[in-house]
Amino acid sequence: KYLLWQQAVDKAVDTAARDPNPSMDSINEIRGLRDELIMNPALAGAGEEAALNLGRRILLHLWEVAANELPPSVMYGLINTYVACLDALSKLTPRLPAELTALYWIEDDRRFDKNVVDALLRYRLLNLAELDRVIAKALTAGIQNNKQVTILVIHLIQACILRDSLFTCEDIPATYEVFSKLAFVSQNNSGFTSICRVPNEIPPIVRERGDPYNMRERTTSLFDEWVRAMNNPEAEKQGMSVLVKLRDLELFQHGEVTDYFFSRLIEISTHHCLASAIEGASAAAGLPNFRPQDITLNFMATDALVRLVTALVYNGGGETILTRFLNIFTAVIKRDADERVGKFNARPYLRIWVGLLSDLGTPGKAFIVGRSPLTAGEQASDAITSTAIRYLKICGVFLYQLQPLSVPGFAFAWLELISHRSFLPKMLGPLPGTAVAATAAGTAAAVASSTGGLGQQPSSVDGALYFTLLAALLRFLEPYLRHVDLPESIKQLYRGTLRLLLVLLQDFPDVLCEHHMQLCEVIAPTSIQMRNLVLSAYPKNVHLPDPFSSNLKADLPPETQITPRMVIGPTQRLPDIIASKVHEYLDLRQPAILPQELANVLVLKPIEAKAHGSNYNVLLLNALILFIGDQAKSPSSRYHAAAQDLFLKLATELDSEGRYVMLNAMANHLRYPNAHTYYFSCSLLNLFAEAPVEVLKEQITRVLLERLLVNRPHPWGLLITFVELTKNRRYNFWSHKFTKCAPEIEIVFNSLSKTFEVLTERNDEESPLST
């Protein structure tokens, strides 16, 4: 009977779909067949199992329908009709969604049709969490061998998440994570790069490549004239003539016309540059040891474009013209990266970006009609510098749109841009009007020293924007580093990131200190050396005592009384409701159940835990630990005893993973001599001494030791804490079993102990106080 009913439905839907004006009789026939299924007395009397069996058969038939090459109208009609039947069946048995989802574990290539899955999800006929695991497994099996599942994931993210907001990426964490990892290394995945963006962010004028204003020839002619002018001895005179023509044509009076003009210029200049690459490859193809990257490109057109844009900006266009050009420029990069995928060549776009950063940040290089910025007075020079900084900030905002998560194919060029000498030193340099430190050869300019304190003005032009860009890079690397799964391309990007951090550590330590929390929150837990690089920074006006000196006491340096400067203070990171409860506990030790409540609040829901790679809200735990330490401030504070009690009880309430996250949050403040370093060093040592269980002492040792075993540099606070732990008899460190639990572990501890003894003896011999 079911087969007869199914054949009747297929026939009725096919008849109605092929008729451009279906009659009411056809529509009523389809409705009658649906009602016939639901209101069948035999079905009602057969019980829940019969309804579930019928639902399974309908879904399997839907897969057959999707696999057939039917006209779209017929296919959509069948899908909608059968899904409506399943929806009606779900009213008879709430178990139906689970049963239908279970069918997706069947190894059937037809199961991932995007239209069927979309319809079932909209009717809530599938268990989304279970479906997430099914899709993630299929992706892991090989994205290149399963085109349909790739299309499905792209559709879910674009249509169901971004467009219609049926659910969020956090609802399919396993799928999104696996797909994100595979996207960067897969040369065949042309669709993923658009999912990190909002729908329709590429303007139609860029996406469609049309000529709606019949301006193609005129634009090409004007640009040719500009290129010739820039290569002429009388460049200023002829260039001014072209600018006058552009003004008379009123190209910048209408937004869409301006957008087309800029998109056409970008296409002409990049095409000219890429054509030279093709010619160079053809000429050098027969040479021995030939490499494509050795080809010298012709950048004449791209350089001319840069000079035109900067001339328009500095000759009246200002921020409006710059913003409109960069909006089109970033859209062109996204479009070309999406379309060319593995064949995408970023060098022409990188050349344009570098030229813009150089010319906009140095007004003397810009083509300014009627005056020379190099001979302007001191006041005019300051004004131009302030203007240039505003332009660079606009560039930084658009660079954020091109971050590796959005345009993976542009990742290496993007890293070069944010570390370029025309951008990095100017964003992290001193504010205009302040004293500028001398620039060392081969390195970026140094910043003016900043002392501790939370209430001071920023020590750089826009450190917040720059470190937002750096955090975006670290966020892209995080899943690869967390799983220690590094393709060769990611290894190279990681090495480049380490070199950038070394430049910041050497030339801009003050600004790096101010943003250490922001960076540590996005660095993968496994990237210990990278975290040490960030935490090893110290202000230029701070002197680091020798951590191996036997005369050193952690509270001796005067800097240990100074609260370190942070861009976002401790009170701003923690939600007010939690901050008020913690403050009450530190003051009155009430409520007594607060440690247990905090431990419960810190645990994430299973779906969120999969998305973040941890069962705990790491950001909230970091903010909580910092707030407690900042409130207590020092061991002499009246809140100190309550803070230590809260640390100990919280460590007891958390499980092993939670304690590890908590101890790492405390270790992240073991930096240069300051109030936080001193307090958290004392807190970790006190936790070790008061720990009620051996496992807590072992975890404290693990957190400190794994940071010491990686290559240098090592933060000063980390060294003094571990030296104190191992040398002070109060902690009886060497008597604990975990120091001798395995021969390999014992060798590591003995090696560290001997190293510390040698360094201490050497420093005592050199110290005048050793006598």
Side-chain angles (χ1 to χ4, degrees):
K1 289 184 178 180
Y2 166 76
L3 291 177
L4 293 175
W5 173 84
Q6 177 184 294
Q7 291 172 2
V9 172
D10 289 350
K11 182 178 179 181
V13 171
D14 183 78
T15 302
R18 293 178 185 277
D19 188 351
N21 298 301
S23 63
M24 286 302 299
D25 292 340
S26 300
I27 297 174
N28 289 333
E29 181 182 3
I30 297 173
R31 291 174 178 171
L33 288 167
R34 184 190 61 190
D35 295 341
E36 178 185 337
L37 173 72
I38 304 305
M39 299 178 181
N40 191 326
L43 179 62
E48 190 177 33
E49 285 301 324
L52 292 174
N53 183 56
L54 191 57
R56 286 190 287 265
R57 297 186 69 175
I58 291 176
L59 179 57
L60 291 174
H61 181 60
L62 266 178
W63 292 355
E64 294 179 4
V65 168
N68 295 329
E69 295 184 0
L70 298 173
S73 58
V74 176
M75 184 180 66
Y76 289 130
L78 287 170
I79 291 175
N80 291 333
T81 300
Y82 282 117
V83 170
C85 293
L86 289 172
D87 182 52
L89 283 174
S90 67
K91 305 297 190 297
L92 301 177
T93 169
R95 290 170 49 197
L96 185 62
E99 291 294 322
L100 296 180
T101 309
L103 286 178
Y104 275 84
W105 286 106
I106 300 174
E107 296 292 338
D108 192 322
D109 293 340
R110 305 170 301 175
R111 57 186 166 153
F112 292 122
D113 181 81
K114 67 176 184 179
N115 298 311
V116 174
V117 174
D118 183 287
L120 292 172
L121 287 174
R122 291 178 188 276
Y123 277 88
R124 302 183 184 278
L125 291 171
L126 291 177
N127 184 319
L128 188 56
E130 186 75 8
L131 183 66
D132 175 41
R133 290 189 285 272
V134 174
I135 298 175
K137 181 182 178 183
L139 286 173
T140 305
I143 192 171
Q144 296 178 346
N145 300 324
N146 198 337
K147 183 178 179 181
Q148 196 171 41
V149 70
T150 308
I151 294 172
L152 171 62
V153 176
I154 294 172
H155 174 80
L156 291 179
I157 297 176
Q158 288 183 332
C160 300
I161 295 177
L162 296 177
R163 188 187 68 197
D164 300 332
S165 301
L166 296 180
F167 47 88
T168 66
C169 289
E170 285 74 15
D171 295 323
I172 52 170
T175 297
Y176 195 72
E177 180 177 348
V178 175
F179 195 52
S180 299
K181 287 180 61 179
L182 292 174
F184 189 76
V185 297
S186 174
Q187 297 298 316
N188 296 326
N189 181 14
S190 60
F192 172 78
T193 50
S194 61
I195 67 176
C196 295
R197 319 178 194 139
V198 296
N200 300 323
E201 69 168 347
I202 299 179
I205 199 71
V206 174
R207 188 175 58 251
E208 296 170 3
R209 299 174 183 267
D211 185 17
Y213 307 105
N214 297 319
M215 291 176 50
R216 186 180 299 272
E217 293 183 2
R218 182 183 299 178
T219 303
T220 304
S221 175
L222 284 170
F223 188 61
D224 286 343
E225 186 176 349
W226 173 262
V227 172
R228 288 194 300 271
M230 292 300 102
N231 290 276
N232 191 287
E234 297 182 352
E236 182 174 352
K237 180 179 179 180
Q238 295 195 15
M240 186 164 53
S241 172
V242 177
L243 293 178
V244 170
K245 289 183 180 179
L246 292 175
R247 183 194 62 191
D248 293 342
L249 290 172
E250 298 184 350
L251 293 175
F252 307 108
Q253 303 299 319
H254 308 284
E256 293 184 355
V257 176
T258 307
D259 289 347
Y260 172 77
F261 177 71
F262 282 144
S263 67
R264 179 62 185 153
L265 293 183
I266 296 168
E267 287 181 5
I268 294 172
S269 58
T270 56
H271 182 269
H272 178 270
C273 183
L274 293 173
S276 69
I278 296 174
E279 294 174 0
S282 301
L287 298 178
N289 302 322
F290 167 71
R291 297 185 306 170
Q293 58 266 36
D294 293 335
I295 299 174
T296 301
L297 301 185
N298 186 337
F299 293 114
M300 182 176 65
T302 54
D303 292 346
L305 174 62
V306 169
R307 295 208 67 188
L308 176 59
V309 173
T310 53
L312 293 172
V313 169
Y314 273 110
N315 287 284
E319 297 177 16
T320 303
I321 287 295
L322 179 60
T323 301
R324 188 164 286 279
F325 172 79
L326 290 177
N327 184 56
I328 295 299
F329 186 38
T330 53
V332 170
I333 294 175
K334 293 173 184 177
R335 181 201 66 193
D336 291 350
D338 291 351
E339 292 177 354
R340 298 173 187 172
V341 197
K343 296 181 179 179
F344 176 67
N345 189 340
R347 292 172 67 187
Y349 311 95
L350 174 62
R351 179 76 174 202
I352 295 173
W353 265 114
V354 169
L356 287 173
L357 295 176
S358 177
D359 289 4
L360 292 173
T362 309
K365 295 183 179 181
F367 184 89
I368 301 179
V369 176
R371 65 185 176 95
S372 174
L374 295 176
T375 59
E378 189 68 26
Q379 186 175 0
S381 177
D382 286 340
I384 291 177
T385 301
S386 301
T387 302
I389 288 172
R390 291 203 308 272
Y391 293 157
L392 287 178
K393 288 183 179 181
I394 293 173
C395 290
V397 171
F398 280 95
L399 279 175
Y400 184 78
Q401 295 183 18
L402 294 173
Q403 62 177 288
L405 275 174
S406 179
V407 192
F410 197 65
F412 288 97
W414 192 85
L415 174 59
E416 183 169 346
L417 287 171
I418 67 169
S419 57
H420 198 273
R421 63 181 180 275
S422 297
F423 184 69
L424 186 155
K426 294 177 181 178
M427 295 301 290
L428 298 184
L431 294 165
T434 61
V436 181
T439 303
T443 62
V447 296
S449 299
S450 64
T451 57
L454 294 174
Q456 296 189 352
Q457 293 296 319
S459 60
S460 61
V461 170
D462 201 338
L465 173 59
Y466 187 83
F467 280 93
T468 299
L469 295 172
L470 184 55
L473 174 62
L474 296 173
R475 197 174 292 113
F476 173 75
L477 290 171
E478 194 273 341
Y480 298 96
L481 299 174
R482 186 190 342 142
H483 297 290
V484 198
D485 181 14
L486 302 180
E488 186 58 35
S489 56
I490 297 298
K491 288 180 182 178
Q492 296 297 331
L493 195 64
Y494 173 73
R495 293 190 187 104
T497 305
L498 285 181
R499 292 179 179 179
L500 173 57
L501 288 173
L502 282 170
V503 171
L504 297 177
L505 179 64
Q506 176 68 29
D507 294 338
F508 304 98
D510 298 75
V511 194
L512 188 58
C513 290
E514 296 171 7
H515 294 84
H516 87 282
M517 278 288 287
Q518 180 185 355
L519 297 181
C520 285
E521 287 172 344
V522 293
I523 293 176
T526 55
S527 303
I528 299 170
Q529 184 185 17
M530 182 179 286
R531 186 178 292 104
N532 275 358
L533 272 175
V534 174
L535 299 179
S536 295
Y538 61 94
K540 290 182 179 293
N541 63 336
V542 172
H543 171 69
L544 295 186
D546 189 342
F548 299 105
S549 173
S550 60
N551 300 299
L552 174 68
K553 292 185 179 296
D555 56 342
L556 285 182
E559 292 87 356
T560 57
Q561 307 302 317
I562 301 175
T563 302
R565 172 179 168 77
M566 301 178 71
V567 176
I568 303 177
T571 56
Q572 297 172 283
R573 293 177 175 273
L574 197 65
D576 292 340
I577 186 170
I578 298 179
S580 61
K581 289 184 177 182
V582 171
H583 192 275
E584 182 182 358
Y585 186 91
L586 295 177
D587 194 25
L588 305 172
R589 302 285 184 102
Q590 295 293 330
I593 62 170
L594 180 64
Q596 182 179 356
E597 292 179 350
L598 290 175
N600 294 333
V601 170
L602 292 169
V603 178
L604 294 174
K605 297 177 181 178
I607 291 179
E608 295 175 334
K610 288 182 179 179
H612 292 84
S614 172
N615 291 318
Y616 287 87
N617 188 332
V618 178
L619 297 183
L620 181 59
L621 186 49
N622 287 339
L624 173 65
I625 295 301
L626 176 60
F627 180 81
I628 296 171
D630 187 70
Q631 291 295 304
K633 293 192 186 325
S634 73
S636 60
S637 166
R638 70 186 189 92
Y639 293 141
H640 173 65
Q644 297 304 304
D645 178 66
L646 184 54
F647 282 145
L648 185 59
K649 290 183 177 179
L650 188 58
T652 305
E653 291 290 340
L654 296 171
D655 63 11
S656 179
E657 180 190 352
R659 283 194 300 271
Y660 180 73
V661 176
M662 171 187 166
L663 295 173
N664 268 299
M666 299 175 74
N668 284 343
H669 298 287
L670 301 179
R671 303 190 290 150
Y672 63 92
N674 62 63
H676 288 171
T677 296
Y678 175 48
Y679 189 78
F680 282 105
S681 177
C682 294
S683 298
L684 282 169
L685 294 172
N686 183 70
L687 264 181
F688 189 93
E690 303 295 332
V693 290
E694 186 82 355
V695 67
L696 178 54
K697 297 183 179 183
E698 185 175 351
Q699 280 194 296
I700 293 173
T701 306
R702 174 196 170 184
V703 168
L704 298 177
L705 188 61
E706 65 185 9
R707 295 179 180 224
L708 285 170
L709 293 180
V710 299
N711 292 331
R712 293 181 296 176
H714 300 115
W716 179 86
L718 174 69
L719 290 171
I720 65 162
T721 303
F722 196 79
V723 169
E724 180 71 11
L725 178 64
T726 55
K727 292 177 63 176
N728 194 323
R729 294 180 180 179
R730 177 196 175 196
Y731 308 112
N732 205 15
F733 179 80
W734 300 107
S735 67
H736 293 288
K737 293 181 179 179
F738 59 78
T739 62
K740 304 177 182 65
C741 62
E744 298 84 359
I745 297 296
E746 193 169 0
I747 291 173
V748 170
F749 279 119
N750 289 336
S751 176
L752 278 175
S753 177
K754 292 178 181 178
T755 302
F756 289 169
E757 288 178 4
V758 170
L759 290 172
T760 301
E761 292 174 1
R762 182 183 304 168
N763 291 331
D764 287 345
E765 291 175 0
E766 296 174 355
S767 173
L769 299 176
S770 61
T771 57

